[in-house]
Amino acid sequence: MHSKRLIIGLVALSVLAIVVTVVSIYVAPKPDLYRYTSYSRALLDKNGELLRISLASDDRYRLFQSIDDISPSLIQATLLYEDQHFYEHVGVDFSAILRAFWSTYVVKQRRVGASTIAMQVARLRWKIPSSTISGKFQQIYRAIQLDHHYSKKEILEAYFNLASYGQNVEGIGAASLIYFNKTPDRLTWLESLTLSVVPQNPNKRAPGVKDSWQYIRDARERLFDRWLDTFPSTYSGTYPGASPEASFEDISDKKSLLDLPMAISTLKDLPFKAPHFSEFTLAELPISQTGVITTSLGLRLQKRIETQIQHYITRRSREGITNAAALLVNYQTNEIEAMVGSADFFSQPIDGQVNGALAKRSPGSALKPFVYALAMDEGLIHPMTMLRDSPRRYGGFSPENFDKKFLGPVFAKTALIESRNVPAVDLQAQLSQSSFYRFLEAGGVKDLKAPSFYGLALALGGGEVSMLELASLYSGLARGGEFKPLATVHTESQQSRYLISPEASFLTLDILRQNPAPGRIDTDTKNPQQNDIAWKTGTSWAFRDAWAVGVSGPYVLAVWVGNFSGEGNPVFVGRTAAGPLLHAIFSTVFPNQGWRLEDQFNLNALNLTQVDVCASTGDLSGKHCPRSVKSWFIPGVSPIKVSTVHRQVAINKDTGLRSCGGTNKNTELKVYEFWPSDFLHIFQQAGISLKTPPVYEANCDLGVTSSSGQIPVIISPLSSIEYAIRSGEDNTIEFQASVDSDVTTLFWFVNNQYIGQVPSQSSLSWAAKPGVHNITVVDDLGRSQRKNIRVIRVR
């Protein structure tokens, strides 16, 4: 009687426990499957090849993978191996549990597992010690709970994201990339069978573990036998939503499938490709962005550039060239396709882990093209405008050219190609609508100091930029003046700004493509299949950095040669140190196919025209110009004036002097060259003979002489510059004017007060005072010009 009551009590308690368990399953909140853990980030190149996979916060490789992006053969093989009745039970296969209990504990034949996919998810999610009885009950409870709250598809997805695939690899997303260098949707049938058997015994079957391959082969063969029994005629069977795969019909020996060659990697084989790019991308991505990330990098291009740099360093190491960096940007997408931050990432002597693409360094003259483009947009110049390459002083700044010489009159396109400093500084000083400093800020150059820190040295490399910023600027030029940030991952949300017109962009690049390749002088001879390369170089102060940046095909390529320590080397000259490397890289990433700059720009849509200009002056051809050439103009923008250098004047036959009484029987008309005085001075220094006009006859008065010829042009000081003076410093400002070649003396006035006189080719120093001042110059023939300048006092 007592035992009967005991049995009844136990049954009642059991029923109550079951009822409580069932009720708790239905009333308990839906458990979370993913937010409790962290995930890795896997970077792929644009063709799907793994570059690098990072560790999650718990030092495991774990990538979330949607069930929709997993190979159907892998899903089918896993279900066949782990849980054949997955779609039939409620998270727990009770009949399998009874069979396992009988075999393991009653007859004690062998240990038999009965864990379903849901039970394994429960064990992994809540870290349940399933080897104990209490743990097994907890696992069963959680499995039923999961089956109630989640669909079969969601549970299966959770399994593929939580299952261990050996060592610290969790989830099929990481396992597929690490072991087969491909995403799970691209796994072959044989690769799927291989990975399906790993989670059941990851300690022994993890690829790379001792004797693991034999364990994998044995388990895979058992799975294959089961597969043949279940699906005798196809590689894979079907599961809800899947399609049959290839047939076995043409294979006589089905077992030979297991012997098909298959490359499998291990953890020690994990790639570390494009290391500077990978580290940069991982640092730039939001922390919340995890999983598989397809980047813009093209690994094939990356390897080609790495090889070119290594070969180049080897060839020129005796000259002290031991390090270089390069950045390849597809300007059509504005995405980075290759980044080599140093010649050798693992070299300590060159600090190889420093990313040269990110380091801020002086660009030398590499920024000059943008000064010229802005000047074209402001109507200051066109490609054939004659500029002054002569000694100038801007307050306390007197720019010099690289060769310490001055060319005198020089066409804008020549000044840019030959990287003359004085014309670039003069153009920067004249920019008013959009200062060069503001342009650089708007173009994405970060961390600039105040404008006063750089003054007019900004165009000469006085400010520091990174290779990323420099390539981004050139990309904007190639995009017709549209500037936006570079990207390593494709995005549609990038904002852009138009800072230069398409016309000025084309004209600037048109000039740069005339820059001859290193070592080539004859620019007229060109292979018709040779690509245009519009390129510019830069050399920083004290030969610390050598730069070359170019546009060709769909690419902008930036190259740097130097030392991360900042140590200078006379060999570090842009044209001779970085230029050859730039052309070598272009030849391998974009082989010659006759690409022309016009292929990028639709000239018919641009506001451009070609006109005849005087070949020696660059202005519109006058009737006395001996020869004319074609030049591009931007109608309504570019400065247009008729050349006045070649003029016809009346000469007294008896005296050989200029007549001031017009033409008569005692005069004859002759053409002379009226070069401005600063140009004339340089011609004379160079020993160049010019046909200059004679002086006027003695009886000519100022009323006659002042009404002919060109008025003086004050070239220093400039109205566009605010001059600053400081106590205890040299606060003189140089007065200088360009005048007609018939002028001998200049008279200077400040606020209508006479300051002094100098020969026409000389300058006058004036002790500056704070305030707004009116500067006037008068030549000895009565012609004059005036302008206002502003002088401020600073501490």
Side-chain angles (χ1 to χ4, degrees):
M1 189 68 163
H2 178 73
S3 60
K4 185 177 180 179
R5 286 199 299 269
L6 179 61
I7 292 173
I8 293 174
L10 290 174
V11 170
L13 286 174
S14 299
V15 171
L16 179 62
I18 292 173
V19 171
V20 171
T21 300
V22 171
V23 171
S24 68
I25 288 174
Y26 281 87
V27 300
K30 183 178 181 178
D32 177 67
L33 287 177
Y34 299 115
R35 284 183 296 178
Y36 72 94
T37 192
S38 59
Y39 292 91
S40 304
R41 294 189 286 189
L43 300 183
L44 309 184
D45 87 328
K46 63 180 182 179
N47 297 312
E49 188 164 351
L50 180 62
L51 301 175
R52 182 175 178 183
I53 181 171
S54 67
L55 288 165
S57 60
D58 57 354
D59 292 332
R60 294 182 179 274
Y61 294 107
R62 185 188 300 112
L63 295 167
F64 179 81
Q65 190 70 43
S66 168
I67 190 71
D68 296 325
D69 296 323
I70 297 176
S71 169
S73 61
L74 176 67
I75 294 174
Q76 190 63 43
T78 300
L79 290 175
L80 191 61
Y81 195 68
E82 295 284 0
D83 193 347
Q84 297 184 59
H85 304 291
F86 175 72
Y87 290 101
E88 301 166 9
H89 55 64
V90 293
V92 177
D93 189 341
F94 289 104
S95 61
I97 290 178
L98 290 175
R99 288 194 300 271
F101 180 81
W102 181 265
S103 176
T104 304
Y105 297 105
V106 178
V107 300
K108 298 182 179 180
Q109 292 179 341
R110 62 187 181 89
R111 292 186 63 85
V112 176
S115 292
T116 62
I117 293 288
M119 291 173 67
Q120 293 184 58
V121 170
R123 174 178 58 81
L124 295 167
R125 165 61 179 89
W126 283 282
K127 296 179 174 56
I128 299 172
S130 57
S131 59
T132 64
I133 296 297
S134 62
K136 183 61 70 176
F137 276 112
Q138 184 182 357
Q139 186 182 14
I140 292 172
Y141 169 82
R142 288 294 192 181
I144 297 174
Q145 184 186 33
L146 289 175
D147 193 79
H148 169 67
H149 286 288
Y150 289 94
S151 69
K152 292 292 186 180
K153 184 177 181 180
E154 291 172 323
I155 293 173
L156 190 57
E157 181 180 80
Y159 170 82
F160 279 117
N161 281 290
L162 296 175
S164 172
Y165 285 85
Q167 301 181 83
N168 61 338
V169 180
E170 291 188 1
I172 190 60
S176 181
L177 280 173
I178 290 171
Y179 298 138
F180 292 109
N181 193 23
K182 60 178 68 173
T183 51
D185 59 318
R186 297 167 54 205
L187 288 171
T188 67
W189 176 81
L190 192 56
E191 291 166 348
S192 295
L193 258 64
T194 301
L195 286 181
S196 296
V197 304
V198 175
Q200 196 174 89
N201 194 344
N203 292 331
K204 289 185 176 182
R205 299 176 189 170
V209 175
K210 183 180 180 181
D211 299 327
S212 64
W213 185 238
Q214 186 59 49
Y215 288 113
I216 290 174
R217 286 181 63 88
D218 292 344
R220 191 177 64 176
E221 186 170 352
R222 292 194 297 272
L223 173 59
F224 185 72
D225 290 337
R226 186 179 299 176
W227 190 291
L228 291 180
D229 292 339
T230 309
F231 311 111
S233 62
T234 58
Y235 281 80
S236 74
T238 58
Y239 73 98
S243 301
E245 292 192 1
S247 172
F248 282 144
E249 293 174 359
D250 297 330
I251 302 177
S252 57
D253 183 6
K254 298 174 182 178
K255 288 287 187 180
S256 65
L257 281 173
L258 298 181
D259 296 323
L260 291 175
M262 181 180 63
I264 186 167
S265 302
T266 65
L267 276 175
K268 68 178 182 180
D269 302 317
L270 269 181
F272 190 53
K273 300 172 182 176
H276 291 105
F277 174 87
S278 298
E279 290 192 343
F280 171 69
T281 302
L282 290 173
E284 289 291 300
L285 290 172
I287 297 177
S288 60
Q289 187 171 356
T290 58
V292 177
I293 301 165
T294 300
T295 69
S296 59
L297 185 123
L299 194 55
R300 190 172 49 156
L301 293 177
Q302 174 78 15
K303 291 178 179 178
R304 288 179 181 177
I305 296 176
E306 289 174 350
T307 300
Q308 284 289 346
I309 289 178
Q310 289 166 4
H311 289 169
Y312 188 75
I313 293 297
T314 300
R315 291 196 308 270
R316 304 197 60 178
S317 60
R318 291 184 179 180
E319 302 173 62
I321 294 180
T322 59
N323 201 2
L327 185 70
L328 186 70
V329 174
N330 186 323
Y331 62 79
Q332 295 175 347
T333 61
N334 235 49
E335 294 175 347
I336 298 172
E337 295 201 6
M339 176 190 286
V340 183
S342 70
D344 184 353
F345 182 84
F346 299 101
S347 172
Q348 291 184 354
I350 65 169
D351 298 317
Q353 295 188 21
V354 174
N355 190 344
L358 308 182
K360 287 276 196 175
R361 310 190 76 86
S362 167
S365 298
L367 293 178
K368 285 179 183 174
F370 303 98
V371 174
Y372 282 76
L374 293 171
M376 290 182 195
D377 272 339
E378 290 198 15
L380 299 176
I381 60 169
H382 56 76
M384 284 290 287
T385 296
M386 187 69 73
L387 303 179
R388 290 175 169 83
D389 183 19
S390 55
R392 299 287 300 276
R393 184 178 177 186
Y394 304 87
F397 178 47
S398 299
E400 291 185 341
N401 291 306
F402 183 79
D403 58 5
K404 306 296 183 181
K405 299 177 182 178
F406 298 96
L407 298 181
V410 59
F411 295 123
K413 67 177 185 178
T414 304
L416 179 54
I417 291 173
E418 298 189 5
S419 202
R420 310 305 293 178
N421 286 343
V422 177
V425 170
D426 191 50
L427 287 177
Q428 182 187 337
Q430 295 180 60
L431 294 176
S432 58
Q433 297 175 20
S434 176
S435 76
F436 188 50
Y437 180 91
R438 289 196 298 272
F439 162 78
L440 293 178
E441 276 192 320
V445 178
K446 306 294 184 183
D447 303 322
L448 287 171
K449 296 181 173 63
S452 58
F453 178 84
Y454 306 107
L456 293 176
L458 199 54
L460 307 183
E464 293 185 334
V465 300
S466 69
M467 181 179 284
L468 276 174
E469 293 167 339
L470 192 59
S472 180
L473 291 174
Y474 275 82
S475 180
L477 203 62
R479 293 171 64 87
E482 180 192 17
F483 293 77
K484 64 180 184 178
L486 300 182
T488 58
V489 177
H490 180 69
T491 176
E492 299 289 347
S493 61
Q494 289 180 320
Q495 293 184 342
S496 60
R497 303 180 66 178
Y498 283 88
L499 303 176
I500 296 175
S501 72
E503 290 78 11
S505 298
F506 170 78
L507 293 181
T508 303
L509 291 173
D510 183 52
I511 293 172
L512 294 180
R513 71 168 161 180
Q514 300 171 55
N515 188 8
R520 201 183 92 226
I521 299 176
D522 182 7
T523 59
D524 295 328
T525 303
K526 188 171 185 178
N527 182 345
Q529 290 302 310
Q530 185 176 333
N531 295 327
D532 279 346
I533 299 181
W535 68 295
K536 183 71 182 72
T537 59
T539 305
S540 68
W541 183 79
F543 303 102
R544 290 188 173 98
D545 310 276
W547 294 90
V549 193
V551 176
S552 189
Y555 297 117
V556 167
L557 174 64
V559 168
W560 169 87
V561 172
N563 297 313
F564 289 145
S565 64
E567 180 183 357
N569 183 338
V571 175
F572 295 164
V573 176
R575 169 164 285 276
T576 56
L581 180 56
L582 177 113
H583 282 75
I585 292 175
F586 260 138
S587 69
T588 188
V589 301
F590 186 57
N592 281 330
Q593 50 191 267
W595 180 84
R596 296 289 174 263
L597 185 61
E598 291 81 355
D599 296 338
Q600 169 63 16
F601 288 83
N602 180 6
L603 295 186
N604 293 328
L606 299 182
N607 178 32
L608 286 175
T609 187
Q610 285 190 315
V611 297
D612 291 322
V613 298
C614 186
S616 56
T617 68
D619 291 326
L620 293 177
S621 293
K623 62 180 180 179
H624 301 300
C625 177
R627 186 172 68 90
S628 63
V629 294
K630 293 288 187 182
S631 178
W632 286 107
F633 271 73
I634 307 177
V637 178
S638 296
I640 298 178
K641 65 185 182 73
V642 177
S643 176
T644 59
V645 168
H646 301 91
R647 302 179 212 161
Q648 191 179 62
V649 297
I651 302 297
N652 189 308
K653 296 178 181 178
D654 298 330
T655 65
L657 302 178
R658 289 177 65 180
S659 171
C660 54
T663 59
N664 52 58
K665 62 180 181 179
N666 292 325
T667 63
E668 58 181 344
L669 296 176
K670 291 185 177 182
V671 176
Y672 292 93
E673 297 178 54
F674 286 76
W675 287 101
S677 56
D678 50 343
F679 291 172
L680 186 62
H681 177 63
I682 293 177
F683 284 146
Q684 292 171 346
Q685 285 184 325
I688 298 175
S689 177
L690 299 173
K691 190 179 179 182
T692 56
V695 299
Y696 277 99
E697 296 175 326
N699 61 345
C700 295
D701 58 36
L702 289 179
V704 174
T705 58
S706 63
S707 62
S708 64
Q710 300 296 308
I711 66 171
V713 176
I714 299 175
I715 57 179
S716 178
L718 296 174
S719 297
S720 57
I721 294 179
E722 189 174 66
Y723 291 84
I725 59 176
R726 294 175 174 83
S727 299
E729 295 185 5
D730 179 11
N731 293 314
T732 59
I733 296 177
E734 294 293 317
F735 288 178
Q736 187 177 8
S738 176
V739 297
D740 248 355
S741 57
D742 55 359
V743 174
T744 59
T745 306
L746 292 177
F747 304 89
W748 289 94
F749 301 83
V750 176
N751 300 326
N752 296 322
Q753 293 186 358
Y754 174 73
I755 300 299
Q757 68 181 62
V758 291
S760 61
Q761 296 176 2
S762 300
S763 61
L764 176 71
S765 296
W766 171 66
K769 300 176 182 178
V772 177
H773 305 283
N774 179 264
I775 312 299
T776 304
V777 62
V778 181
D779 65 26
D780 54 8
L781 298 178
R783 297 168 297 209
S784 65
Q785 188 193 43
R786 64 175 58 204
K787 65 169 54 176
N788 290 331
I789 66 168
R790 180 180 178 83
V791 180
I792 61 172
R793 183 181 297 279
V794 296
R795 296 182 181 275

